[in-house]
Amino acid sequence: MTKAENPDIARARELILSLGWNSTSFQIINPGIKRWFSAEADAVVGYVSASQIRVVVGAPVCSIERLGDVVAEFEADARRTSEMVCYFGAEARLDSLLADSQNHTRFLLGAQSVWRPRAWSAIVAGNSSLRS
């Protein structure tokens, strides 16, 4: 860490490198993103606040075993500041955890594309619009 580097960014980067799993993990260290750390310092959540809503960058970065506890702790912190939480781009782990929750609403915006390089030749051969 350089002298000028924000210590929160360095802490977040360490957690991302050891526990990051979703495609949005590294967005947490971007400028303008607020970082919340769990009481146990084993998790980080990146978010922006807008109109009393914490819009979370993906899902909490933590171990799978701690995901439920971290979500509960983060959402409790948001309630203390009269904010609601919206997880954006959170992916399957968080979706599975909260699927049966009566306190959460899910809205599927899209799915991540799947890239299978081995099948590319056959895909191109079988689809004229791709060939052009």
Side-chain angles (χ1 to χ4, degrees), residues 11-53:
R11 285 176 57 201
R13 185 181 298 120
E14 288 176 21
L15 288 166
I16 292 164
L17 289 172
S18 63
L19 300 168
W21 56 272
N22 65 348
S23 62
T24 57
S25 294
F26 270 99
Q27 299 300 319
I28 292 172
I29 61 175
N30 281 341
I33 301 294
K34 295 179 183 179
R35 285 162 287 281
W36 172 91
F37 294 92
S38 65
E40 292 187 23
D42 64 344
V44 62
V45 176
Y47 69 96
V48 295
S49 291
S51 301
Q52 295 302 108
I53 299 172

CSV table of all heavy atoms in Angstrom, one decimal, residues 11-53:
chain,number,residue,atom,x,y,z
A,11,ARG,N,-7.8,-2.7,2.3
A,11,ARG,CA,-8.5,-3.8,3.0
A,11,ARG,C,-9.5,-4.5,2.1
A,11,ARG,O,-9.6,-5.8,2.1
A,11,ARG,CB,-9.3,-3.2,4.2
A,11,ARG,CG,-8.5,-2.8,5.3
A,11,ARG,CD,-9.3,-2.2,6.4
A,11,ARG,NE,-10.4,-3.0,6.9
A,11,ARG,CZ,-11.5,-2.5,7.5
A,11,ARG,NH1,-11.6,-1.2,7.8
A,11,ARG,NH2,-12.4,-3.3,7.9
A,12,ALA,N,-10.2,-3.8,1.3
A,12,ALA,CA,-11.2,-4.4,0.3
A,12,ALA,C,-10.5,-5.2,-0.7
A,12,ALA,O,-10.9,-6.3,-1.0
A,12,ALA,CB,-12.0,-3.3,-0.4
A,13,ARG,N,-9.3,-4.7,-1.2
A,13,ARG,CA,-8.6,-5.5,-2.2
A,13,ARG,C,-8.1,-6.8,-1.7
A,13,ARG,O,-8.2,-7.9,-2.3
A,13,ARG,CB,-7.4,-4.7,-2.7
A,13,ARG,CG,-6.6,-5.4,-3.9
A,13,ARG,CD,-5.4,-4.6,-4.4
A,13,ARG,NE,-5.8,-3.4,-4.9
A,13,ARG,CZ,-5.4,-2.2,-4.5
A,13,ARG,NH1,-4.6,-2.1,-3.4
A,13,ARG,NH2,-5.8,-1.1,-5.1
A,14,GLU,N,-7.6,-6.8,-0.4
A,14,GLU,CA,-7.2,-8.1,0.2
A,14,GLU,C,-8.4,-9.1,0.3
A,14,GLU,O,-8.2,-10.3,0.0
A,14,GLU,CB,-6.6,-7.8,1.6
A,14,GLU,CG,-5.3,-7.1,1.6
A,14,GLU,CD,-4.8,-6.8,3.0
A,14,GLU,OE1,-5.3,-7.4,4.0
A,14,GLU,OE2,-4.0,-5.9,3.1
A,15,LEU,N,-9.5,-8.6,0.7
A,15,LEU,CA,-10.7,-9.5,0.8
A,15,LEU,C,-11.1,-10.0,-0.6
A,15,LEU,O,-11.5,-11.1,-0.7
A,15,LEU,CB,-11.8,-8.8,1.5
A,15,LEU,CG,-11.7,-8.6,3.0
A,15,LEU,CD1,-12.7,-7.6,3.6
A,15,LEU,CD2,-11.8,-9.9,3.8
A,16,ILE,N,-11.1,-9.1,-1.5
A,16,ILE,CA,-11.5,-9.5,-2.9
A,16,ILE,C,-10.5,-10.6,-3.4
A,16,ILE,O,-11.0,-11.5,-4.0
A,16,ILE,CB,-11.5,-8.3,-3.8
A,16,ILE,CG1,-12.7,-7.3,-3.4
A,16,ILE,CG2,-11.6,-8.7,-5.3
A,16,ILE,CD1,-12.5,-5.9,-4.0
A,17,LEU,N,-9.2,-10.4,-3.2
A,17,LEU,CA,-8.3,-11.3,-3.8
A,17,LEU,C,-8.4,-12.7,-3.1
A,17,LEU,O,-8.2,-13.7,-3.7
A,17,LEU,CB,-6.8,-10.8,-3.6
A,17,LEU,CG,-6.5,-9.7,-4.5
A,17,LEU,CD1,-5.1,-9.1,-4.2
A,17,LEU,CD2,-6.5,-10.1,-6.0
A,18,SER,N,-8.8,-12.7,-1.8
A,18,SER,CA,-8.9,-14.0,-1.1
A,18,SER,C,-10.3,-14.6,-1.2
A,18,SER,O,-10.4,-15.8,-1.1
A,18,SER,CB,-8.5,-13.9,0.3
A,18,SER,OG,-9.3,-13.0,1.1
A,19,LEU,N,-11.4,-13.8,-1.3
A,19,LEU,CA,-12.7,-14.3,-1.2
A,19,LEU,C,-13.6,-13.9,-2.3
A,19,LEU,O,-14.8,-14.4,-2.4
A,19,LEU,CB,-13.4,-13.8,0.1
A,19,LEU,CG,-12.7,-14.3,1.4
A,19,LEU,CD1,-13.2,-13.5,2.6
A,19,LEU,CD2,-12.8,-15.7,1.6
A,20,GLY,N,-13.2,-13.1,-3.2
A,20,GLY,CA,-14.0,-12.6,-4.3
A,20,GLY,C,-14.4,-13.7,-5.2
A,20,GLY,O,-13.6,-14.6,-5.6
A,21,TRP,N,-15.6,-13.8,-5.7
A,21,TRP,CA,-16.1,-14.9,-6.5
A,21,TRP,C,-17.0,-14.4,-7.7
A,21,TRP,O,-17.2,-15.1,-8.6
A,21,TRP,CB,-16.9,-15.9,-5.7
A,21,TRP,CG,-18.0,-15.3,-4.9
A,21,TRP,CD1,-17.9,-14.7,-3.7
A,21,TRP,CD2,-19.4,-15.1,-5.3
A,21,TRP,NE1,-19.2,-14.2,-3.3
A,21,TRP,CE2,-20.1,-14.4,-4.3
A,21,TRP,CE3,-20.0,-15.4,-6.5
A,21,TRP,CZ2,-21.4,-14.1,-4.4
A,21,TRP,CZ3,-21.4,-15.1,-6.6
A,21,TRP,CH2,-22.0,-14.4,-5.6
A,22,ASN,N,-17.6,-13.2,-7.5
A,22,ASN,CA,-18.5,-12.8,-8.6
A,22,ASN,C,-17.8,-11.8,-9.5
A,22,ASN,O,-16.8,-11.2,-9.2
A,22,ASN,CB,-19.8,-12.4,-8.1
A,22,ASN,CG,-19.7,-11.1,-7.2
A,22,ASN,OD1,-18.6,-10.7,-6.9
A,22,ASN,ND2,-20.8,-10.5,-6.9
A,23,SER,N,-18.4,-11.6,-10.7
A,23,SER,CA,-17.8,-10.8,-11.7
A,23,SER,C,-17.7,-9.3,-11.3
A,23,SER,O,-17.0,-8.6,-11.9
A,23,SER,CB,-18.6,-11.0,-13.0
A,23,SER,OG,-19.9,-10.5,-12.9
A,24,THR,N,-18.5,-8.9,-10.3
A,24,THR,CA,-18.5,-7.5,-9.9
A,24,THR,C,-17.6,-7.2,-8.7
A,24,THR,O,-17.5,-6.0,-8.3
A,24,THR,CB,-19.9,-7.0,-9.6
A,24,THR,OG1,-20.4,-7.9,-8.6
A,24,THR,CG2,-20.8,-7.1,-10.8
A,25,SER,N,-16.9,-8.2,-8.2
A,25,SER,CA,-16.1,-8.0,-7.0
A,25,SER,C,-15.2,-6.8,-7.1
A,25,SER,O,-15.1,-6.0,-6.1
A,25,SER,CB,-15.3,-9.3,-6.7
A,25,SER,OG,-16.1,-10.3,-6.4
A,26,PHE,N,-14.4,-6.7,-8.2
A,26,PHE,CA,-13.4,-5.6,-8.2
A,26,PHE,C,-14.0,-4.2,-8.4
A,26,PHE,O,-13.4,-3.2,-8.2
A,26,PHE,CB,-12.4,-5.9,-9.3
A,26,PHE,CG,-11.2,-6.7,-8.8
A,26,PHE,CD1,-11.2,-8.0,-9.0
A,26,PHE,CD2,-10.2,-6.0,-8.1
A,26,PHE,CE1,-10.1,-8.8,-8.5
A,26,PHE,CE2,-9.2,-6.8,-7.6
A,26,PHE,CZ,-9.1,-8.1,-7.8
A,27,GLN,N,-15.3,-4.1,-8.7
A,27,GLN,CA,-16.0,-2.8,-8.8
A,27,GLN,C,-16.0,-2.1,-7.4
A,27,GLN,O,-16.0,-0.9,-7.4
A,27,GLN,CB,-17.4,-3.0,-9.3
A,27,GLN,CG,-17.6,-3.6,-10.6
A,27,GLN,CD,-16.9,-2.8,-11.7
A,27,GLN,OE1,-17.0,-1.5,-11.7
A,27,GLN,NE2,-16.2,-3.4,-12.6
A,28,ILE,N,-15.8,-2.9,-6.4
A,28,ILE,CA,-15.8,-2.3,-5.0
A,28,ILE,C,-14.7,-1.3,-4.8
A,28,ILE,O,-14.8,-0.4,-4.0
A,28,ILE,CB,-15.8,-3.5,-4.0
A,28,ILE,CG1,-17.1,-4.3,-4.0
A,28,ILE,CG2,-15.5,-3.0,-2.6
A,28,ILE,CD1,-17.1,-5.5,-3.2
A,29,ILE,N,-13.6,-1.5,-5.5
A,29,ILE,CA,-12.5,-0.6,-5.2
A,29,ILE,C,-12.5,0.6,-6.2
A,29,ILE,O,-11.6,1.5,-6.1
A,29,ILE,CB,-11.1,-1.3,-5.3
A,29,ILE,CG1,-10.9,-1.9,-6.7
A,29,ILE,CG2,-11.0,-2.4,-4.2
A,29,ILE,CD1,-9.5,-2.6,-6.8
A,30,ASN,N,-13.5,0.8,-7.0
A,30,ASN,CA,-13.6,1.9,-7.9
A,30,ASN,C,-13.9,3.2,-7.1
A,30,ASN,O,-14.5,3.2,-6.0
A,30,ASN,CB,-14.7,1.7,-8.9
A,30,ASN,CG,-14.2,0.8,-10.0
A,30,ASN,OD1,-13.0,0.7,-10.3
A,30,ASN,ND2,-15.2,0.3,-10.8
A,31,PRO,N,-13.5,4.4,-7.6
A,31,PRO,CA,-13.8,5.7,-7.0
A,31,PRO,C,-15.3,5.9,-6.9
A,31,PRO,O,-16.0,5.4,-7.8
A,31,PRO,CB,-13.2,6.7,-8.0
A,31,PRO,CG,-12.1,5.9,-8.7
A,31,PRO,CD,-12.6,4.5,-8.8
A,32,GLY,N,-15.8,6.5,-5.9
A,32,GLY,CA,-17.2,6.7,-5.7
A,32,GLY,C,-18.0,5.6,-5.0
A,32,GLY,O,-19.1,5.8,-4.6
A,33,ILE,N,-17.3,4.5,-4.8
A,33,ILE,CA,-18.0,3.4,-4.2
A,33,ILE,C,-17.7,3.5,-2.7
A,33,ILE,O,-16.5,3.6,-2.3
A,33,ILE,CB,-17.5,2.0,-4.7
A,33,ILE,CG1,-17.8,1.9,-6.2
A,33,ILE,CG2,-18.1,0.9,-4.0
A,33,ILE,CD1,-19.2,1.9,-6.6
A,34,LYS,N,-18.7,3.4,-1.9
A,34,LYS,CA,-18.5,3.3,-0.4
A,34,LYS,C,-18.3,1.9,0.0
A,34,LYS,O,-18.8,1.0,-0.7
A,34,LYS,CB,-19.8,3.8,0.3
A,34,LYS,CG,-20.1,5.3,0.1
A,34,LYS,CD,-21.3,5.7,0.9
A,34,LYS,CE,-21.7,7.1,0.6
A,34,LYS,NZ,-22.9,7.5,1.3
A,35,ARG,N,-17.5,1.7,1.0
A,35,ARG,CA,-17.2,0.3,1.4
A,35,ARG,C,-17.6,0.1,2.9
A,35,ARG,O,-17.2,0.9,3.7
A,35,ARG,CB,-15.7,0.0,1.2
A,35,ARG,CG,-15.3,-0.2,-0.2
A,35,ARG,CD,-13.8,0.0,-0.5
A,35,ARG,NE,-13.4,1.4,-0.4
A,35,ARG,CZ,-13.5,2.3,-1.4
A,35,ARG,NH1,-14.1,1.9,-2.5
A,35,ARG,NH2,-13.1,3.5,-1.3
A,36,TRP,N,-18.3,-1.0,3.1
A,36,TRP,CA,-18.8,-1.3,4.4
A,36,TRP,C,-18.0,-2.6,4.8
A,36,TRP,O,-18.0,-3.6,3.9
A,36,TRP,CB,-20.3,-1.6,4.4
A,36,TRP,CG,-20.8,-2.1,5.7
A,36,TRP,CD1,-21.3,-1.5,6.8
A,36,TRP,CD2,-21.0,-3.5,6.0
A,36,TRP,NE1,-21.7,-2.3,7.7
A,36,TRP,CE2,-21.5,-3.6,7.3
A,36,TRP,CE3,-20.7,-4.7,5.3
A,36,TRP,CZ2,-21.8,-4.8,7.9
A,36,TRP,CZ3,-20.9,-5.9,5.9
A,36,TRP,CH2,-21.5,-6.0,7.2
A,37,PHE,N,-17.5,-2.7,6.0
A,37,PHE,CA,-16.8,-3.9,6.4
A,37,PHE,C,-17.6,-4.5,7.6
A,37,PHE,O,-18.1,-3.8,8.4
A,37,PHE,CB,-15.4,-3.6,6.9
A,37,PHE,CG,-14.5,-3.1,5.7
A,37,PHE,CD1,-14.4,-1.7,5.4
A,37,PHE,CD2,-13.8,-4.0,4.9
A,37,PHE,CE1,-13.6,-1.3,4.4
A,37,PHE,CE2,-13.0,-3.6,3.9
A,37,PHE,CZ,-12.9,-2.2,3.6
A,38,SER,N,-17.6,-5.9,7.6
A,38,SER,CA,-18.3,-6.6,8.7
A,38,SER,C,-17.6,-6.3,10.0
A,38,SER,O,-16.4,-6.0,10.0
A,38,SER,CB,-18.4,-8.1,8.4
A,38,SER,OG,-17.1,-8.6,8.4
A,39,ALA,N,-18.3,-6.6,11.1
A,39,ALA,CA,-17.7,-6.4,12.4
A,39,ALA,C,-16.5,-7.3,12.6
A,39,ALA,O,-15.5,-7.0,13.3
A,39,ALA,CB,-18.7,-6.7,13.5
A,40,GLU,N,-16.6,-8.5,12.0
A,40,GLU,CA,-15.4,-9.4,12.1
A,40,GLU,C,-14.3,-9.1,11.1
A,40,GLU,O,-13.3,-9.9,11.1
A,40,GLU,CB,-15.9,-10.9,11.9
A,40,GLU,CG,-16.8,-11.3,13.0
A,40,GLU,CD,-17.2,-12.8,12.9
A,40,GLU,OE1,-16.5,-13.6,12.3
A,40,GLU,OE2,-18.2,-13.2,13.5
A,41,ALA,N,-14.5,-8.1,10.3
A,41,ALA,CA,-13.5,-7.7,9.3
A,41,ALA,C,-13.2,-8.8,8.3
A,41,ALA,O,-12.1,-8.8,7.7
A,41,ALA,CB,-12.2,-7.2,10.0
A,42,ASP,N,-14.1,-9.7,8.1
A,42,ASP,CA,-13.9,-10.8,7.1
A,42,ASP,C,-14.8,-10.6,5.9
A,42,ASP,O,-14.9,-11.6,5.1
A,42,ASP,CB,-14.1,-12.1,7.8
A,42,ASP,CG,-15.6,-12.3,8.2
A,42,ASP,OD1,-16.3,-11.3,8.3
A,42,ASP,OD2,-15.9,-13.5,8.5
A,43,ALA,N,-15.4,-9.5,5.7
A,43,ALA,CA,-16.3,-9.3,4.6
A,43,ALA,C,-16.4,-7.8,4.2
A,43,ALA,O,-16.2,-6.9,5.1
A,43,ALA,CB,-17.7,-9.7,4.9
A,44,VAL,N,-16.6,-7.5,2.9
A,44,VAL,CA,-16.8,-6.1,2.5
A,44,VAL,C,-17.9,-6.1,1.5
A,44,VAL,O,-18.2,-7.1,0.8
A,44,VAL,CB,-15.5,-5.6,1.8
A,44,VAL,CG1,-15.1,-6.4,0.6
A,44,VAL,CG2,-15.6,-4.1,1.4
A,45,VAL,N,-18.6,-5.0,1.6
A,45,VAL,CA,-19.7,-4.7,0.6
A,45,VAL,C,-19.5,-3.3,0.0
A,45,VAL,O,-19.2,-2.4,0.7
A,45,VAL,CB,-21.1,-4.7,1.4
A,45,VAL,CG1,-22.2,-4.3,0.4
A,45,VAL,CG2,-21.4,-6.0,2.0
A,46,GLY,N,-19.6,-3.3,-1.3
A,46,GLY,CA,-19.4,-2.0,-2.0
A,46,GLY,C,-20.8,-1.5,-2.4
A,46,GLY,O,-21.6,-2.3,-2.8
A,47,TYR,N,-21.1,-0.2,-2.2
A,47,TYR,CA,-22.4,0.3,-2.6
A,47,TYR,C,-22.3,1.8,-2.8
A,47,TYR,O,-21.3,2.5,-2.5
A,47,TYR,CB,-23.4,0.0,-1.4
A,47,TYR,CG,-23.1,0.8,-0.1
A,47,TYR,CD1,-23.8,2.0,0.1
A,47,TYR,CD2,-22.2,0.3,0.8
A,47,TYR,CE1,-23.5,2.7,1.3
A,47,TYR,CE2,-22.0,1.0,2.0
A,47,TYR,CZ,-22.6,2.2,2.2
A,47,TYR,OH,-22.4,2.9,3.4
A,48,VAL,N,-23.4,2.3,-3.4
A,48,VAL,CA,-23.6,3.8,-3.5
A,48,VAL,C,-24.9,4.1,-2.9
A,48,VAL,O,-25.8,3.2,-2.9
A,48,VAL,CB,-23.5,4.3,-4.9
A,48,VAL,CG1,-22.1,4.2,-5.5
A,48,VAL,CG2,-24.5,3.6,-5.8
A,49,SER,N,-25.1,5.2,-2.2
A,49,SER,CA,-26.4,5.6,-1.7
A,49,SER,C,-27.1,6.6,-2.6
A,49,SER,O,-26.5,7.5,-3.1
A,49,SER,CB,-26.2,6.3,-0.3
A,49,SER,OG,-25.7,5.3,0.6
A,50,ALA,N,-28.4,6.3,-2.8
A,50,ALA,CA,-29.2,7.2,-3.7
A,50,ALA,C,-30.6,7.1,-3.1
A,50,ALA,O,-31.2,6.0,-3.1
A,50,ALA,CB,-29.1,6.7,-5.1
A,51,SER,N,-31.2,8.2,-2.8
A,51,SER,CA,-32.6,8.3,-2.3
A,51,SER,C,-32.9,7.3,-1.3
A,51,SER,O,-33.9,6.6,-1.4
A,51,SER,CB,-33.5,8.1,-3.5
A,51,SER,OG,-33.3,9.1,-4.5
A,52,GLN,N,-32.1,7.2,-0.2
A,52,GLN,CA,-32.3,6.3,0.9
A,52,GLN,C,-32.2,4.8,0.5
A,52,GLN,O,-32.8,4.0,1.2
A,52,GLN,CB,-33.6,6.6,1.6
A,52,GLN,CG,-33.7,8.0,2.3
A,52,GLN,CD,-32.6,8.2,3.3
A,52,GLN,OE1,-31.6,9.0,3.1
A,52,GLN,NE2,-32.7,7.6,4.4
A,53,ILE,N,-31.5,4.5,-0.5
A,53,ILE,CA,-31.3,3.2,-0.9
A,53,ILE,C,-29.8,2.9,-1.1
A,53,ILE,O,-29.1,3.7,-1.8
A,53,ILE,CB,-32.0,2.8,-2.3
A,53,ILE,CG1,-33.5,3.0,-2.1
A,53,ILE,CG2,-31.7,1.4,-2.7
A,53,ILE,CD1,-34.3,3.0,-3.4
